Coordinates of all heavy atoms in Angstrom, one line a residue:
A132 N 0.8 -1.2 0.0 CA 0.0 0.0 0.0 C 0.9 1.2 0.0 O 2.1 1.2 0.2 CB -0.9 0.0 1.2
N133 N 0.2 2.4 -0.2 CA 0.9 3.7 -0.2 C 1.1 4.2 1.2 O 0.7 5.3 1.6 CB 0.1 4.7 -1.0 CG 0.9 6.0 -1.1 OD1 2.1 6.1 -1.0 ND2 0.1 7.1 -1.3
E134 N 1.7 3.3 2.1 CA 2.1 3.6 3.4 C 2.9 2.5 4.0 O 2.9 1.4 3.4 CB 0.8 3.7 4.3 CG 0.0 2.4 4.4 CD -1.3 2.5 5.1 OE1 -1.5 3.5 5.8 OE2 -2.1 1.5 5.0
P135 N 3.7 2.7 5.0 CA 4.4 1.6 5.6 C 3.5 0.4 6.0 O 2.5 0.6 6.6 CB 5.1 2.2 6.8 CG 5.2 3.6 6.5 CD 3.9 3.9 5.7
S136 N 3.9 -0.8 5.6 CA 3.0 -2.0 5.8 C 3.7 -3.0 6.7 O 4.8 -3.5 6.4 CB 2.6 -2.6 4.5 OG 1.9 -1.7 3.6
T137 N 3.0 -3.4 7.8 CA 3.5 -4.4 8.7 C 3.5 -5.7 7.9 O 2.8 -5.9 6.8 CB 2.7 -4.5 9.9 OG1 1.3 -4.8 9.6 CG2 2.7 -3.2 10.7
R138 N 4.1 -6.8 8.5 CA 4.1 -8.1 7.9 C 2.6 -8.5 7.6 O 2.4 -9.1 6.5 CB 4.8 -9.1 8.8 CG 4.8 -10.5 8.2 CD 5.6 -11.4 9.2 NE 5.6 -12.8 8.7 CZ 6.5 -13.3 7.8 NH1 7.4 -12.5 7.4 NH2 6.4 -14.5 7.4
E139 N 1.7 -8.3 8.5 CA 0.3 -8.8 8.3 C -0.3 -8.1 7.1 O -1.0 -8.7 6.3 CB -0.5 -8.5 9.6 CG -0.1 -9.3 10.8 CD 1.2 -9.0 11.4 OE1 1.7 -7.8 11.2 OE2 1.8 -9.8 12.1
R140 N -0.1 -6.8 7.0 CA -0.6 -6.1 5.8 C 0.0 -6.5 4.5 O -0.6 -6.6 3.5 CB -0.4 -4.6 6.0 CG -1.3 -3.9 7.1 CD -2.7 -3.6 6.5 NE -2.7 -2.5 5.7 CZ -3.7 -2.1 5.0 NH1 -4.8 -2.8 5.0 NH2 -3.6 -1.0 4.2
T141 N 1.3 -6.8 4.6 CA 2.0 -7.3 3.4 C 1.5 -8.6 2.9 O 1.3 -8.9 1.7 CB 3.5 -7.4 3.6 OG1 4.1 -6.1 3.8 CG2 4.2 -8.0 2.4
I142 N 1.2 -9.5 3.9 CA 0.6 -10.8 3.6 C -0.8 -10.6 2.9 O -1.1 -11.2 1.9 CB 0.5 -11.7 4.8 CG1 1.9 -12.1 5.3 CG2 -0.4 -12.9 4.5 CD1 1.9 -12.8 6.6
L143 N -1.6 -9.7 3.5 CA -2.9 -9.4 2.9 C -2.7 -8.8 1.5 O -3.5 -9.2 0.6 CB -3.7 -8.4 3.7 CG -4.2 -8.8 5.1 CD1 -4.8 -7.7 5.9 CD2 -5.3 -9.9 4.8
G144 N -1.7 -8.0 1.3 CA -1.5 -7.4 -0.1 C -1.1 -8.5 -1.1 O -1.6 -8.5 -2.2
L145 N -0.2 -9.4 -0.7 CA 0.2 -10.5 -1.6 C -1.0 -11.4 -1.9 O -1.2 -11.8 -3.1 CB 1.3 -11.3 -1.0 CG 2.7 -10.6 -1.0 CD1 3.6 -11.4 -0.1 CD2 3.2 -10.5 -2.4
E146 N -1.9 -11.6 -0.9 CA -3.0 -12.5 -1.2 C -4.0 -11.8 -2.1 O -4.5 -12.4 -3.1 CB -3.7 -12.8 0.1 CG -2.9 -13.8 1.0 CD -3.5 -14.0 2.4 OE1 -4.4 -13.2 2.7 OE2 -3.1 -14.9 3.1
L147 N -4.2 -10.5 -1.9 CA -5.2 -9.8 -2.8 C -4.6 -9.7 -4.2 O -5.3 -9.8 -5.2 CB -5.5 -8.4 -2.3 CG -6.4 -7.5 -3.1 CD1 -7.8 -8.2 -3.3 CD2 -6.6 -6.2 -2.5
F148 N -3.3 -9.4 -4.3 CA -2.6 -9.4 -5.7 C -2.9 -10.7 -6.4 O -3.3 -10.7 -7.6 CB -1.1 -9.1 -5.5 CG -0.4 -8.9 -6.8 CD1 0.0 -7.6 -7.2 CD2 -0.1 -10.0 -7.6 CE1 0.6 -7.4 -8.4 CE2 0.6 -9.7 -8.8 CZ 1.0 -8.5 -9.2
R149 N -2.6 -11.8 -5.7 CA -2.9 -13.1 -6.3 C -4.3 -13.3 -6.7 O -4.6 -13.9 -7.8 CB -2.4 -14.3 -5.4 CG -1.0 -14.7 -5.5 CD -0.7 -16.0 -4.8 NE -1.1 -16.0 -3.4 CZ -0.4 -15.6 -2.4 NH1 0.8 -15.1 -2.7 NH2 -0.8 -15.6 -1.2
D150 N -5.2 -12.9 -5.9 CA -6.7 -13.1 -6.2 C -7.1 -12.3 -7.4 O -7.9 -12.8 -8.2 CB -7.5 -12.6 -5.0 CG -7.4 -13.6 -3.8 OD1 -7.0 -14.7 -4.0 OD2 -7.8 -13.2 -2.7
V151 N -6.5 -11.1 -7.6 CA -6.9 -10.3 -8.7 C -6.2 -10.6 -9.9 O -6.8 -10.8 -11.0 CB -6.7 -8.8 -8.3 CG1 -7.0 -7.9 -9.5 CG2 -7.6 -8.4 -7.1
V152 N -4.9 -10.7 -9.8 CA -4.0 -10.8 -11.0 C -3.9 -12.3 -11.4 O -3.7 -12.6 -12.6 CB -2.6 -10.2 -10.7 CG1 -1.7 -10.4 -11.9 CG2 -2.8 -8.7 -10.4
G153 N -4.1 -13.2 -10.5 CA -4.0 -14.6 -10.8 C -2.7 -15.3 -10.6 O -2.5 -16.5 -10.9
R154 N -1.7 -14.6 -10.1 CA -0.4 -15.1 -9.8 C 0.3 -14.2 -8.9 O -0.1 -13.0 -8.7 CB 0.4 -15.3 -11.1 CG 0.5 -14.0 -11.9 CD 1.7 -13.9 -12.9 NE 1.7 -12.7 -13.6 CZ 2.2 -11.5 -13.1 NH1 2.6 -11.5 -11.9 NH2 2.2 -10.4 -13.9
D155 N 1.5 -14.6 -8.4 CA 2.4 -13.7 -7.6 C 3.0 -12.7 -8.5 O 3.2 -12.9 -9.7 CB 3.5 -14.5 -6.9 CG 3.0 -15.3 -5.7 OD1 2.1 -14.8 -5.0 OD2 3.5 -16.4 -5.5
P156 N 3.4 -11.5 -8.0 CA 4.1 -10.5 -8.8 C 5.5 -11.0 -9.0 O 6.2 -11.5 -8.0 CB 4.1 -9.3 -7.9 CG 3.9 -9.8 -6.5 CD 3.1 -11.0 -6.6
R157 N 6.0 -11.0 -10.2 CA 7.4 -11.4 -10.5 C 8.4 -10.2 -10.2 O 9.6 -10.5 -9.9 CB 7.6 -11.9 -11.9 CG 6.7 -13.1 -12.3 CD 7.3 -13.8 -13.5 NE 8.6 -14.3 -13.3 CZ 9.5 -14.5 -14.2 NH1 9.2 -14.2 -15.5 NH2 10.7 -15.0 -13.9
I158 N 7.9 -9.0 -10.3 CA 8.7 -7.8 -10.1 C 8.3 -7.1 -8.9 O 7.1 -6.9 -8.7 CB 8.6 -6.9 -11.3 CG1 9.1 -7.6 -12.6 CG2 9.4 -5.6 -11.1 CD1 10.6 -7.8 -12.8
Y159 N 9.2 -6.6 -8.1 CA 8.9 -5.7 -7.0 C 9.9 -4.5 -7.0 O 11.1 -4.7 -7.2 CB 9.1 -6.4 -5.7 CG 9.2 -5.6 -4.4 CD1 8.1 -4.8 -4.0 CD2 10.4 -5.5 -3.7 CE1 8.2 -4.0 -2.9 CE2 10.5 -4.7 -2.6 CZ 9.4 -3.9 -2.2 OH 9.5 -3.1 -1.1
T160 N 9.3 -3.3 -6.8 CA 10.1 -2.1 -6.6 C 9.8 -1.5 -5.3 O 8.7 -1.4 -4.9 CB 9.9 -1.1 -7.7 OG1 8.6 -0.6 -7.7 CG2 10.2 -1.7 -9.1
V161 N 10.8 -1.1 -4.6 CA 10.7 -0.4 -3.3 C 10.0 0.9 -3.4 O 10.4 1.7 -4.3 CB 12.0 -0.3 -2.6 CG1 11.9 0.5 -1.3 CG2 12.7 -1.6 -2.3
H162 N 9.0 1.2 -2.6 CA 8.4 2.5 -2.5 C 9.3 3.3 -1.5 O 9.3 3.1 -0.3 CB 7.0 2.4 -2.0 CG 6.2 3.7 -2.1 ND1 6.5 4.7 -3.1 CD2 5.2 4.2 -1.4 CE1 5.6 5.7 -2.9 NE2 4.8 5.4 -1.9
V163 N 10.1 4.3 -2.1 CA 11.1 4.9 -1.3 C 10.6 5.6 0.0 O 9.5 6.2 -0.1 CB 11.8 6.0 -2.2 CG1 12.9 6.8 -1.4 CG2 12.5 5.3 -3.4
G164 N 11.3 5.3 1.1 CA 10.9 6.0 2.3 C 10.0 5.1 3.2 O 9.6 5.6 4.3

């Protein structure tokens, strides 16, 4: 998300990404800061 994300939120984000996109993201870029 557009904010610092705890481990729990990151897990939720990965699960939603998979649900919507149909797979894990192959690419990740750090949101600076």
Side-chain angles (χ1 to χ4, degrees):
N133 184 25
E134 64 182 348
S136 297
T137 61
R138 180 179 178 86
E139 292 72 21
R140 288 278 284 172
T141 296
I142 291 172
L143 287 175
L145 285 169
E146 290 174 346
L147 180 59
F148 188 103
R149 271 195 304 275
D150 288 344
V151 172
V152 178
R154 56 160 179 77
D155 285 327
R157 297 199 66 204
I158 300 284
Y159 163 69
T160 64
V161 173
H162 190 28
V163 176

